[in-house]
């Protein structure tokens, strides 16, 4: 029932004692304890009697317990009782590993599916007004080599469903970022902040806001540049479809364009006719003989006005077929001048006479 002591030259070196409240106590007169095997493994074994009991090391300073480390008790952390933990108390584990490998920091691991799942890993700054920083530092030194990545798997899959890959550039301060989905490269952001997408970019907006706001604040910079894969008319640079996915406008690789409706240039108005071009008070209108607004037309040098370009036969053209508001209620006279303000010919449409 008493203590067991080992002495060296009369000095207490090791003491084993027992207590009804603290259990067996091992006291060493030295600042360290060594276990030296004789050709075998060094093992310190702590054997729990059940999951409702713990097996741990406790670290103290001047008799005050500071840290605990070992296998949990099922009464602690609401755990199953066989987790490995490091903690300052038995309420909040600072670090804990479940059987199977799930890791928790500050809480038990909770791996669940769907948006309602509990956070698996949270990195939080311990002081106010501080950033939460997670560093991944690789040891590669060559240009283009992977230095770190974050990889995600599904519950039972062996192939990653997503990868976020960081690659080193030409120096220790230059790098690029790659995003993989379904084990295939989807997005690359190079060291100059240029982004390259491997697939289509689809954006859906349910509000009245702007889908995209692209700006270049450099005075010599570009706006939006879209480049064709080649210059053939069979490849289009871009296409615009309506809500029912019907093509309304398309620009081809050879520079030609096709529009599926009326076109307005120089104003925010709805086009009056197939082509409606306006600048200040000037207006150019082209349309069919039943629906068009006509106004002043200005041409550059060397311009000819020809009729029936695609008719391989004798044909004609009409001037002033309609008048006010695209109707026939008012006459329209025709004057032809010589470019110097002098009359060449005048057609009085109300009297059906011509003067020159």
């Amino acid at each position: 029932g008493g203590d067991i002591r080992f002495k060296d030259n009369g000095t207490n070196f090791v003491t084993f004692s027992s207590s009804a409240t603290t259990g067996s106590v091992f006291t060493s007169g030295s600042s360290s304890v060594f276990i030296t095997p004789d050709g075998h493994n060094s093992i310190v074994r702590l054997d729990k009697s059940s999951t409702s009991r713990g097996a741990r090391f406790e670290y103290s300073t001047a008799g005050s317990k500071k840290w605990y480390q070992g296998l949990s008790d099922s009464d602690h952390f609401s755990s199953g009782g066989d987790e490995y933990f490091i903690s300052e108390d038995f309420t909040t584990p600072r670090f804990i590993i479940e059987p199977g490998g799930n890791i928790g920091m500050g809480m038990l691991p909770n791996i669940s599916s769907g948006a309602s799942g509990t956070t698996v890993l949270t990195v939080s700054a311990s002081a106010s007004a501080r950033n939460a920083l997670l560093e991944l530092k690789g040891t590669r030194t060559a240009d283009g080599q992977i230095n770190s990545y974050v990889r995600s798997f599904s519950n039972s899959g062996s192939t990653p469903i997503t990868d976020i890959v960081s690659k080193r550039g030409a120096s220790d301060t230059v790098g690029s970022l790659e995003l993989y989905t379904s084990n295939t490269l989807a997005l690359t952001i190079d060291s100059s902040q240029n982004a390259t997408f491997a697939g289509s970019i689809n954006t859906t907006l349910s509000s009245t806001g702007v889908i995209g706001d692209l700006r270049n604040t450099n005075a010599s910079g570009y706006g939006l540049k879209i480049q064709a894969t080649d210059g053939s008319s069979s490849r289009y640079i871009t296409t615009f479809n309506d809500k029912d996915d019907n093509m309304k406008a398309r620009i081809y690789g050879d520079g030609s364009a096709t529009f599926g409706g009326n076109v307005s240039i120089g104003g925010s108005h709805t086009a009056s006719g197939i082509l409606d071009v306006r600048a200040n008070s000037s207006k150019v209108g082209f349309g069919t003989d039943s629906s068009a607004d006509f106004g002043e037309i200005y041409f550059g040098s060397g311009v000819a006005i020809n009729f029936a370009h695609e008719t391989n036969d004798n044909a004609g053209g009409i001037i002033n077929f309609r008048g006010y508001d695209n109707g026939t209620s008012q006459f329209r006279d025709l004057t032809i001048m010589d470019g110097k303000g002098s009359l060449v010919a005048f057609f009085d449409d109300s009297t059906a006479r011509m003067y020159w």
Side-chain angles (χ1 to χ4, degrees):
D3 298 341
I4 300 176
R5 297 181 179 181
F6 296 89
K7 293 186 177 182
D8 181 16
N9 295 327
T11 303
N12 290 334
F13 191 69
V14 176
T15 302
F16 291 91
S17 59
S18 61
S19 167
T21 57
T22 62
S24 299
V25 179
F26 170 81
T27 304
S28 174
S30 173
S31 59
S32 60
V33 176
F34 299 92
I35 300 178
T36 304
D38 184 12
H40 299 282
N41 298 323
S42 296
I43 298 175
V44 176
R45 179 174 296 167
L46 303 179
D47 190 7
K48 294 171 46 170
S49 60
S50 68
T51 56
S52 62
R53 295 290 183 264
R56 59 183 179 268
F57 289 97
E58 298 181 356
Y59 302 91
S60 303
T61 301
S64 176
K65 295 177 181 179
K66 299 296 183 182
W67 286 95
Y68 303 90
Q69 171 188 347
L71 290 182
S72 64
D73 184 325
S74 60
D75 297 331
H76 301 150
F77 320 124
S78 300
S79 65
D82 284 322
E83 294 82 1
Y84 174 81
F85 76 96
I86 299 174
S87 184
E88 296 172 277
D89 53 37
F90 297 117
T91 303
T92 303
R94 300 306 180 192
F95 180 83
I96 191 166
I97 304 177
E98 289 182 328
N102 295 330
I103 297 175
M105 294 183 182
M107 61 182 297
L108 282 172
N110 192 335
I111 312 298
S112 50
S113 60
S116 60
T118 304
T119 301
V120 176
L121 173 63
T122 298
V123 180
S124 178
S126 59
S128 61
R130 294 291 187 271
N131 297 323
L133 179 64
L134 179 62
E135 289 188 354
L136 302 177
K137 187 174 182 180
T139 58
R140 300 293 183 92
T141 57
D143 188 1
Q145 288 187 329
I146 296 175
N147 258 260
S148 64
Y149 58 85
V150 178
R151 172 166 288 180
S152 299
F153 291 88
S154 65
N155 183 45
S156 58
S158 59
T159 300
I161 55 176
T162 61
D163 275 313
I164 302 175
V165 179
S166 297
K167 286 187 174 181
R168 185 188 186 277
S171 69
D172 286 333
T173 59
V174 177
S176 61
L177 185 68
E178 295 178 349
L179 174 63
Y180 288 76
T181 59
S182 303
N183 210 29
T184 302
L185 180 62
L187 169 64
T188 300
I189 303 177
D190 65 20
S191 58
S192 298
Q193 293 77 55
N194 299 312
T196 301
F197 292 86
S200 302
I201 303 175
N202 302 309
T203 302
T204 301
L205 187 69
S206 59
S207 67
T208 57
V210 177
I211 293 179
D213 188 357
L214 304 178
R215 303 184 186 187
N216 191 336
T217 58
N218 190 300
S220 300
Y222 296 98
L224 176 63
K225 178 182 178 182
I226 302 177
Q227 185 171 350
T229 55
D230 60 42
S232 67
S233 59
S234 62
R235 300 295 183 99
Y236 56 84
I237 300 175
T238 184
T239 185
F240 300 90
N241 292 11
D242 63 13
K243 66 180 183 63
D244 298 319
D245 205 27
N246 299 311
M247 190 276 292
K248 291 301 181 183
R250 179 171 290 170
I251 301 175
Y252 294 89
D254 62 353
S256 61
T258 299
F259 297 91
N262 296 340
V263 179
S264 171
I265 301 175
S268 58
H269 56 278
T270 301
S272 299
I274 295 175
L275 175 62
D276 188 352
V277 184
R278 306 187 189 192
N280 300 326
S281 61
S282 301
K283 178 179 175 183
V284 177
F286 296 94
T288 65
D289 59 357
S290 60
S291 61
D293 285 347
F294 299 89
E296 296 178 329
I297 303 176
Y298 295 90
F299 296 101
S301 61
V303 174
I305 301 176
N306 303 309
F307 297 106
H309 172 72
E310 297 180 351
T311 301
N312 188 17
D313 200 349
N314 295 333
I318 300 175
I319 299 176
N320 272 346
F321 182 76
R322 292 181 180 272
Y324 170 70
D325 197 24
N326 198 33
T328 59
S329 63
Q330 302 294 333
F331 287 106
R332 291 294 183 263
D333 298 332
L334 176 63
T335 301
I336 300 176
M337 308 295 286
D338 64 359
K340 295 183 178 182
S342 298
L343 176 69
V344 173
F346 173 75
F347 299 85
D348 187 343
D349 290 351
S350 62
T351 62
R353 295 186 178 185
M354 181 182 71
Y355 304 90
W356 63 88

